[in-house]
Amino acid sequence: MSQAATQNQGAMATDAGLDVELRKVFKEFNREMAVQGIDLSIRRGEFFSILGPSGCGKTTTLRLIAGFELPSAGEVLIQNQSMNQVPPYRRPVNTVFQSYALFSHMTVWDNIAFGLRLKKQGKAAVQERVQEALKLVKMETFAHRYPAQLSGGQQQRVALARALVNRPTVLLLDEPLGALDLKLRKEMQMELSILHREVGLTFVMVTHDQEEAMSLSDRIAVMNHGKIEQIGSPKQIYDRPQTPFVADFIGDTNLFRGKVEGFHPAKLWVVTEHGLKMTAQPLESGKSAPVSGQVVLSIRPEKIRLSYRPSEGQVNCFEGRLKNVMYLGTHIHCVIELLSGDCVTIMQPNTVAKLPNADTPLYASWATEDCLALTV
């Protein structure tokens, strides 16, 4: 994706009121670029996630907003005020870390009150605001316990309360649920979503967990090698990925490399590396597509249909054999090896009474609009 396209998407928030902006921000460590000229605009009250694999620059980006790192070039703004020369403790943000960073020698109450006391708040104000924060995270009955006496989920709630009690403009969340087991993480995702709606603050979360970002976020920025590949709503990111990396990183997909052999404003004709002839939809339907050139085709597993015989006149219909089956409860995960040697992953609802034998001829097919052509 071009930097200009990323800038345009990031600038969508301008009219809605912004809490955070990054303008052409670079960050260099030991002559290596961790963040490479990113532009980002985060709306007031938005739940915004920065998603990407380890080492992509997402945590560095969060630390730049928090003030724990300073940009090598570019500008960080919070509510239209430049933060480049503002130390972390003077920025209107608070951070919740994956490790929670609670003071082990302090009770829950004292942990939450710590920041207020540091700011010399009066006793009555501290009492009122700590009580409000405890109620918000449903921890009133645990006020006099110590962190070691709490579960991981309870410690996470205390960390959130400690950050929220200072009433920051922006709450920064650095892999906030990463230390929890799967069941508790699911529960806390719901808690975090409800909490965001109740407090109405801007949340900026860094995570490598796709499901977490998809379920919680209003918008997501997908990062790779220090750059933003795409910004959009979870639906836009999943249904209309703009680069092969985004298509492959978000959820499951089947990717085919090929060459464009013909085009129409609404479709492309592509021959893959193994000779399959596919009809695909350009990334931006209605715009001119390249007459020739390399593309990557992306087809989501749930968009592929299986049948015993080909449908008459069906495009994108290829014969294959069942290679592998995994039972996932609500869905069945199948791998079909096509006659070309390509393997496709198919996700089907768990409604099939019995799957065919491995040597049974099958046909995998998908609609043109479900076959998305991405430029390399």
Side-chain angles (χ1 to χ4, degrees):
M1 179 182 178
S2 69
Q3 189 68 29
T6 302
Q7 290 168 18
N8 290 339
Q9 283 196 308
M12 286 170 56
T14 303
D15 295 333
L18 300 178
D19 266 348
V20 179
E21 288 181 87
L22 275 67
R23 298 177 180 172
K24 299 285 186 301
V25 170
F26 290 80
K27 181 60 184 178
E28 183 181 5
F29 293 108
N30 300 321
R31 298 187 178 179
E32 290 201 11
M33 283 295 177
V35 172
Q36 302 190 52
I38 66 172
D39 290 286
L40 197 57
S41 298
I42 300 174
R43 302 176 185 128
R44 193 158 299 144
E46 185 172 33
F47 198 126
F48 192 94
S49 290
I50 304 172
L51 175 66
S54 297
C56 72
K58 59 186 184 295
T59 297
T60 300
T61 301
L62 197 77
R63 291 175 63 83
L64 287 163
I65 298 170
F68 301 137
E69 303 289 351
L70 296 177
S72 305
E75 192 171 23
V76 176
L77 299 95
I78 297 177
Q79 290 195 328
N80 297 316
Q81 300 295 314
S82 176
M83 294 288 118
N84 283 24
Q85 304 303 319
V86 179
Y89 63 89
R90 292 195 180 276
R91 297 190 184 195
V93 303
N94 273 105
T95 306
V96 177
F97 300 97
Q98 180 178 348
S99 62
Y100 316 133
L102 299 176
F103 298 116
S104 59
H105 64 288
M106 292 184 183
T107 64
V108 167
W109 179 280
D110 289 330
N111 263 284
I112 297 171
F114 181 80
L116 297 175
R117 289 168 174 163
L118 209 60
K119 293 178 179 179
K120 311 289 189 203
Q121 295 286 325
K123 189 174 181 181
V126 171
Q127 180 84 15
E128 180 183 354
R129 285 170 64 175
V130 171
Q131 196 62 42
E132 284 176 359
L134 283 166
K135 186 177 180 182
L136 195 61
V137 298
K138 302 178 179 64
M139 289 291 288
E140 302 102 305
T141 58
F142 297 87
H144 301 296
R145 291 195 187 182
Y146 289 87
Q149 298 171 311
L150 304 176
S151 69
Q154 290 167 342
Q155 289 184 49
Q156 180 63 276
R157 286 186 172 91
V158 176
L160 285 165
R162 186 176 63 178
L164 291 167
V165 77
N166 291 307
R167 297 174 181 171
T169 298
V170 181
L171 184 66
L172 305 176
L173 302 153
D174 186 8
E175 301 274 7
L177 310 181
L180 305 178
D181 62 54
L182 181 60
K183 189 173 187 298
L184 188 54
R185 193 158 70 240
K186 297 274 191 187
E187 292 174 5
M188 283 303 298
Q189 284 176 14
M190 183 65 71
E191 295 282 346
L192 204 54
S193 180
I194 293 168
L195 188 62
H196 174 251
R197 288 200 300 272
E198 287 180 353
V199 300
L201 295 177
T202 301
F203 281 23
V204 182
M205 180 176 73
V206 156
T207 181
H208 66 274
D209 189 313
Q210 305 157 31
E211 185 182 329
E212 194 168 281
M214 297 283 282
S215 63
L216 290 172
S217 312
D218 296 310
R219 286 190 304 148
I220 299 169
V222 182
M223 287 192 72
N224 185 31
H225 296 307
K227 297 180 180 179
I228 293 176
E229 295 251 343
Q230 185 174 350
I231 299 173
S233 69
K235 181 173 175 56
Q236 289 169 336
I237 294 285
Y238 187 83
D239 289 341
R240 304 294 294 176
Q242 296 195 344
T243 69
F245 173 81
V246 174
D248 195 34
F249 186 74
I250 304 296
D252 295 320
T253 196
N254 296 283
L255 298 177
F256 295 88
R257 288 186 170 269
K259 185 177 180 181
V260 177
E261 296 223 327
F263 78 101
H264 180 274
K267 63 181 69 174
L268 295 173
W269 291 275
V270 176
V271 176
T272 71
E273 292 175 330
H274 293 157
L276 297 176
K277 295 182 179 180
M278 297 188 189
T279 306
Q281 188 178 71
L283 182 59
E284 296 182 76
S285 184
K287 293 192 175 182
S288 296
V291 179
S292 62
Q294 297 295 317
V295 294
V296 172
L297 303 179
S298 171
I299 309 105
R300 295 292 186 189
E302 68 275 14
K303 302 294 186 182
I304 301 177
R305 297 178 297 277
L306 277 180
S307 60
Y308 285 104
R309 32 183 84 81
S311 302
E312 193 172 340
Q314 173 75 55
V315 298
N316 301 329
C317 184
F318 306 99
E319 186 179 346
R321 301 291 186 273
L322 187 64
K323 194 82 174 169
N324 189 41
V325 177
M326 289 179 65
Y327 180 79
L328 301 177
T330 57
H331 286 76
I332 296 171
H333 177 286
C334 305
V335 176
I336 303 294
E337 184 176 0
L338 305 180
L339 297 184
S340 64
D342 295 293
C343 286
V344 293
T345 299
I346 302 169
M347 195 73 75
Q348 292 205 313
N350 186 13
T351 56
V352 181
K354 184 181 178 183
L355 285 167
N357 296 324
D359 57 351
T360 305
L362 290 171
Y363 292 86
S365 61
W366 52 88
T368 298
E369 58 268 24
D370 295 325
C371 185
L372 194 60
L374 312 173
T375 52
V376 180

